[in-house]
Amino acid sequence: MLDIDEFLGLEQVDEWTFSSSRLWGAPATVNAFGGQLVALSLGAAFKTVPSNYIARSLHTQFMDCVDKKRTATFRVQDNAPGSRIVSRTVQCFQDERLAMQTVCSFIAQKAQDFQAQFKHQTPMPEIEQPGAGNSAFMLDPQGYPNGFPVKIWVTELDSDLTTPAPAKQRIWLESPDKRTRPEQFQQCVVALFSDVHFTRVIVRPFGIRVAPPPRHLRKIVSIDHHIWFHQSVDPRRPVLVDTECKQLGAGRGVVQSEMYAHDRRLVATVVQEGRVEIDPHVRLPSPKL
């Protein structure tokens, strides 16, 4: 399994520019994993803000694919110099080709305590954590191969996905790295978590698996990725990702996820849009919703 420091590591080129040559991607594709790219973008932005600032949100647009075998360069821009607002835009390039762009907003850590007496959240679903006596979750034997540094617990194997089912999914994720980390690093790991197994929810109602994909699934890639960070979370403990595809049409699917800490706190909300292209001549079952 890859070391998380290597997976999320960045080399500094200058004060506002960073690079990574340790990109990861699934064996069947030349593309780098979007979750790693989002986490690296956030990590590059963190290197330009004070250590007592944490992310409030990030918003990514993918313009092109990133080759996992080539170096990616991350250029950071201060969106509000001299202002109390701390915001950064991070552009990811390969060979001067713009592949993605991320806008990150930050707040001081102490700002989390503002109006702490007034709060509520969507309750976490009543399900058992991995390893509990009645838990329906099993460690994914396929997972993400090639040393992906995240443990994944699922209720369905990839072979089960050929049976049409509602566009919903619940998985548990955990970092095998048990070293104590600052909150900025923890948020980068949460950004990495947020992209795990999201695309397969989009086509679940048609009984289409994405790993490996059938020939009639011509394309399924992320084109937008948004995260709102609500509370701190320790990714060394299991994190529940409760996901539903809200809509698929015109070749685009919108997926929303709520991420819960092991102690049932809602720690992040994620919305992603995926581009989907299915062979129009293939006969598929009616979607199960």
Side-chain angles (χ1 to χ4, degrees), residues 39 221 276:
V221 294
V276 181

Side-chain angles (χ1 to χ4, degrees), residues 87-242:
S87 175
R88 300 287 189 267
T89 294
V90 184
Q91 293 183 317
C92 174
F93 291 86
Q94 276 194 326
D95 299 329
E96 299 303 316
R97 173 180 54 83
L98 178 61
M100 60 181 285
Q101 178 169 285
T102 302
V103 177
C104 306
S105 297
F106 301 92
I107 59 172
Q109 283 179 306
K110 64 181 180 180
Q112 293 186 108
D113 299 326
F114 179 69
Q115 298 232 320
Q117 70 273 36
F118 304 113
K119 59 183 179 180
H120 62 81
Q121 70 165 63
T122 301
M124 176 178 151
E126 294 292 336
I127 56 176
E128 295 283 354
Q129 293 188 26
N134 297 322
S135 177
F137 289 85
M138 54 188 157
L139 194 62
D140 190 344
Q142 177 172 333
Y144 279 19
N146 286 3
F148 189 70
V150 177
K151 290 183 179 180
I152 307 170
W153 282 273
V154 298
T155 56
E156 296 179 306
L157 303 178
D158 280 317
S159 56
D160 300 324
L161 303 182
T162 55
T163 301
K168 299 179 180 181
Q169 171 182 266
R170 288 171 177 167
I171 60 175
W172 290 92
L173 304 173
E174 179 185 339
S175 172
D177 183 284
K178 302 305 180 184
R179 288 170 285 183
T180 301
R181 303 290 191 166
E183 189 168 354
Q184 287 186 347
F185 190 90
Q186 291 177 344
Q187 288 188 317
C188 290
V189 176
V190 170
L192 172 66
F193 281 3
S194 70
D195 201 38
V196 172
H197 280 341
F198 112 87
T199 53
R200 71 183 194 177
V201 183
I202 300 174
V203 292
R204 188 72 180 87
F206 294 103
I208 299 176
R209 64 185 297 180
V210 300
R215 294 182 62 183
H216 56 265
L217 181 59
R218 294 175 174 173
K219 179 176 292 187
I220 183 164
V221 294
S222 179
I223 54 177
D224 289 283
H225 192 127
H226 309 271
I227 308 174
W228 290 266
F229 299 93
H230 307 313
Q231 302 183 66
S232 61
V233 59
D234 185 351
R236 298 176 299 177
R237 304 289 297 273
V239 175
L240 174 67
V241 186
D242 188 13

Side-chain angles (χ1 to χ4, degrees), residues 3-69:
D3 183 82
I4 193 71
D5 285 317
E6 180 179 348
F7 199 82
L8 298 180
L10 288 163
E11 298 178 7
Q12 186 160 2
V13 178
D14 59 40
E15 183 180 4
W16 296 89
T17 307
F18 308 87
S19 68
S20 174
S21 57
R22 304 178 184 91
L23 302 181
W24 180 92
T29 177
V30 299
N31 300 332
F33 175 56
Q36 182 188 19
L37 297 172
V38 172
L40 287 170
S41 296
L42 178 60
F46 271 137
K47 291 183 179 296
T48 69
V49 303
S51 60
N52 64 324
Y53 274 73
I54 56 175
R56 178 177 61 83
S57 67
L58 67 80
H59 308 276
T60 296
Q61 288 184 316
F62 292 93
M63 274 76 84
D64 206 342
C65 296
V66 174
D67 189 328
K68 66 185 181 183
K69 295 184 178 180

